[in-house]
């Protein structure tokens, strides 16, 4: 496995812009159906019928390198936050190149591939989302 480990990928030709991935992400993590709280961002042009841009966590580890309390680490190929060690300084939020770290009640959250079974991948009916190593 490479330095970055596992990450989500999107096959643009299969995406319909249904936003189920965004909704299931926010529901899985925060128990709300709110795409703004999703850690997957889909920019679909419904007028042209094509995916303009998809933003997913690359698991690059920039947040891990910036975390002053060492609360962010790589485990099983995925960068995860240990909330018991997190000092809630939010340095990780400002460091994330994708801008995908969500802050809820002062606590940062990032894509951890749902502990191994990403719900966005599971519920993508067209198979546009996948996990690669």
């Amino acid at each position: 496995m490479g330095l970055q480990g596992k990450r989500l990928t999107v096959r643009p030709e299969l995406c319909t812009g249904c936003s189920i991935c965004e909704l299931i992400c926010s529901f899985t993590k925060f128990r709300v159906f709110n795409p703004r709280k999703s850690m997957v961002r889909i920019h679909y042009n419904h007028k042209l019928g094509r995916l303009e841009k998809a933003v997913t966590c690359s698991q690059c580890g920039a947040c891990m390198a910036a975390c002053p309390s060492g609360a962010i680490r790589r485990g099983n190929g995925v960068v995860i936050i240990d909330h018991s060690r997190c000092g809630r300084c939010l340095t990780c939020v400002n460091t994330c190149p994708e801008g995908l770290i969500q802050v809820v009640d002062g606590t940062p959250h990032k894509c951890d591939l749902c502990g191994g079974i990403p719900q966005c991948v599971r519920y993508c009916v067209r198979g546009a989302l996948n996990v690669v190593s």
Side-chain angles (χ1 to χ4, degrees):
M1 185 175 303
L3 291 174
Q4 293 189 355
K6 300 174 187 171
R7 62 182 172 82
L8 290 174
T9 61
V10 180
R11 294 179 61 191
E13 70 277 11
L14 296 179
C15 182
T16 63
C18 68
S19 296
I20 288 175
C21 55
E22 295 172 311
L23 295 172
I24 198 65
C25 177
S26 65
F27 183 76
T28 300
K29 296 298 182 186
F30 308 114
R31 297 293 176 216
V32 295
F33 290 110
N34 184 346
R36 298 170 104 184
K37 292 189 175 186
S38 174
M39 290 172 250
V40 176
R41 297 275 163 77
I42 299 297
H43 303 276
Y44 193 86
N45 186 329
H46 289 278
K47 190 173 183 178
L48 297 176
R50 70 175 184 220
L51 181 67
E52 298 286 338
K53 183 178 179 184
V55 184
T56 61
C57 178
S58 66
Q59 306 293 332
C60 69
C63 54
M64 181 172 61
C67 179
S69 62
I72 304 175
R73 62 177 172 78
R74 192 176 301 276
N76 293 325
V78 179
V79 177
I80 56 176
I81 299 174
D82 179 349
H83 289 106
S84 68
R85 296 182 63 187
C86 177
R88 293 172 178 75
C89 66
L90 306 182
T91 300
C92 56
V93 175
N94 297 322
T95 305
C96 178
E98 288 95 12
L100 287 176
I101 297 179
Q102 296 289 328
V103 180
V104 175
D105 296 329
T107 303
H109 297 269
K110 67 169 293 304
C111 177
D112 58 2
L113 299 180
C114 297
I117 304 172
Q119 297 304 294
C120 57
V121 173
R122 180 178 174 208
Y123 283 93
C124 181
V125 294
R126 298 282 312 269
L129 282 166
N130 292 290
V131 176
V132 296
S133 296

